[in-house]
Amino acid sequence: MTNFIDSPYVKEFSKITFRLYDHGWDERNGGNISYRLTEEEVSQYDDVHDVLRTIPIDFDGKELAGMFFLVTGTGRYFKNIIDFPERDSGLVRITEDGKSINILWGFNDGGKPTSEFPTHLMGHAARLKVDPNQRVIMHCHPTNLIALTFTFPLDEKELTRTLWKMQTESIVVFPDGIGIIPWMVPGNSKIGNVTSEKLKEFSSVIWPHHGIFASGTTIDEAYGLIETIEKAAEIYNIIRSTGGDILQLITDQQLTELAQAFGVTPKEGYLEV
């Protein structure tokens, strides 16, 4: 018998949730991840073919009907998923009417997906229109990026330009820039709708004073995107904390040269060259 808990998907999921916790970005039960899997990937396991429970969702997910998602559980601590993946995460399938999810594996103590799951589903739907290979939505609380939202104007162009100039890698990793929404109460369809609209334009969205909502074609890509944004925010905060003058920056011309060298297209109108 081949069980889903032994799959590379659960192992990868468990590893990355612990690393997010270990970075200090997912304290307590903060943060959530959803990982879209294909029917071919799921069907090879013997213990995922029966519906264990059906749960309604606060989102019309009909355009995602039949899709499978490995998702973190509500109220669950990221530090524990590596030891208890079948308790603190689960595999779900969106029902054909898009109004419910079928739990196929996991949440074995009666739990259910993160309260942010409708927001994740809205995000997946938005990003799939941009990139049909999109598979991951990752939400966490990077310390330096959150701190930045208290001291920097919440302007997408200016924040993106500043973080591009903090390190050579930034424009290569997030050439599409970073979206920003107003502060909002999390865990409801309102923030999901606003975030998903931004995800049509940006691969990552800042929730001020809260964290980041990022997407990717793989778990590594989404994680690496957040790592790079957080590193740039950390560098900016260190520079500010010294109180000294900035003597040099990466220029817009140099950013243009970087983009050309690495074959990426910067957000239109963000560079002044």
Side-chain angles (χ1 to χ4, degrees), residues 223-245:
Y223 181 77
L225 173 60
I226 295 170
E227 273 190 312
T228 307
I229 294 170
E230 167 68 356
K231 181 65 172 288
E234 181 181 15
I235 294 167
Y236 176 83
N237 290 341
I238 290 171
I239 291 170
R240 277 184 59 94
S241 71
T242 67
D245 294 331

Side-chain angles (χ1 to χ4, degrees), residues 8-10 12-13 33-37 41 68-71 91 124 135-137 217-219:
Y9 315 110
V10 172
E12 183 181 25
F13 199 76
I33 302 177
S34 58
Y35 181 13
R36 182 174 63 85
L37 300 178
E41 289 167 340
F68 299 84
F69 295 92
L70 180 59
V71 59
L91 178 70
H124 280 288
R135 299 187 63 165
V136 177
I137 294 289
T217 58
T218 65
I219 281 181

Side-chain angles (χ1 to χ4, degrees), residues 144-154 159 209 233 236-237 240:
N144 286 281
L145 185 62
I146 294 172
L148 191 67
T149 66
F150 289 93
T151 63
F152 198 95
L154 299 178
L159 180 63
H209 322 321
Y236 176 83
N237 290 341
R240 277 184 59 94

Side-chain angles (χ1 to χ4, degrees), residues 2-259:
T2 306
N3 291 325
F4 189 64
I5 197 169
D6 298 319
S7 71
Y9 315 110
V10 172
K11 293 183 186 302
E12 183 181 25
F13 199 76
S14 300
K15 179 180 71 175
I16 211 69
T17 49
F18 186 82
R19 287 188 174 175
L20 284 161
Y21 159 76
D22 202 38
H23 264 314
W25 300 347
D26 286 289
E27 70 291 336
R28 200 173 182 272
N29 62 321
N32 27 79
I33 302 177
S34 58
Y35 181 13
R36 182 174 63 85
L37 300 178
T38 67
E39 185 170 9
E40 182 180 11
E41 289 167 340
V42 169
S43 62
Q44 60 186 298
Y45 299 99
D46 299 317
D47 56 344
V48 298
H49 300 289
D50 296 328
V51 176
L52 304 177
R53 285 179 287 140
T54 299
I55 298 174
I57 53 173
D58 182 23
F59 168 64
D60 182 1
K62 196 163 186 179
E63 62 183 308
L64 302 177
M67 291 188 184
F68 299 84
F69 295 92
L70 180 59
V71 59
T72 52
T74 185
R76 304 310 168 101
Y77 291 28
F78 266 38
K79 70 183 181 67
N80 293 333
I81 294 173
I82 197 166
D83 294 318
F84 306 103
E86 200 167 2
R87 183 193 70 186
D88 296 336
S89 62
L91 178 70
V92 306
R93 180 179 59 213
I94 311 301
T95 58
E96 290 305 312
D97 63 6
K99 297 179 180 178
S100 304
I101 56 170
N102 291 328
I103 296 178
L104 305 177
W105 175 90
F107 302 130
N108 62 7
D109 64 349
K112 57 184 181 179
T114 169
S115 62
E116 301 284 7
F117 193 44
T119 302
H120 280 244
L121 294 178
M122 294 178 201
H124 280 288
R127 289 305 296 176
L128 282 167
K129 291 181 175 68
V130 177
D131 181 0
N133 296 316
Q134 188 277 339
R135 299 187 63 165
V136 177
I137 294 289
M138 188 176 291
H139 168 57
C140 63
H141 306 158
T143 308
N144 286 281
L145 185 62
I146 294 172
L148 191 67
T149 66
F150 289 93
T151 63
F152 198 95
L154 299 178
D155 179 278
E156 291 168 344
K157 179 177 178 179
E158 289 311 307
L159 180 63
T160 294
R161 283 173 49 80
T162 296
L163 296 186
W164 279 351
K165 291 171 181 284
M166 289 298 102
Q167 57 183 348
T168 300
E169 289 78 9
S170 285
I171 197 169
V172 178
V173 176
F174 52 99
D176 58 339
I178 309 170
I180 306 173
I181 66 169
W183 183 92
M184 300 177 72
V185 174
N188 57 58
S189 58
K190 185 176 180 181
I191 196 172
N193 284 322
V194 174
T195 302
S196 64
E197 283 300 310
K198 287 292 183 182
L199 285 170
K200 293 176 182 178
E201 186 178 353
F202 303 96
S203 55
S204 60
V205 180
I206 292 173
W207 289 2
H209 322 321
H210 182 154
I212 191 168
F213 213 77
S215 63
T217 58
T218 65
I219 281 181
D220 278 348
E221 184 180 66
Y223 181 77
L225 173 60
I226 295 170
E227 273 190 312
T228 307
I229 294 170
E230 167 68 356
K231 181 65 172 288
E234 181 181 15
I235 294 167
Y236 176 83
N237 290 341
I238 290 171
I239 291 170
R240 277 184 59 94
S241 71
T242 67
D245 294 331
I246 295 177
L247 301 181
Q248 51 271 324
L249 279 171
I250 301 173
T251 67
D252 282 29
Q253 179 59 43
Q254 289 168 335
L255 288 173
T256 300
E257 293 170 6
L258 273 169

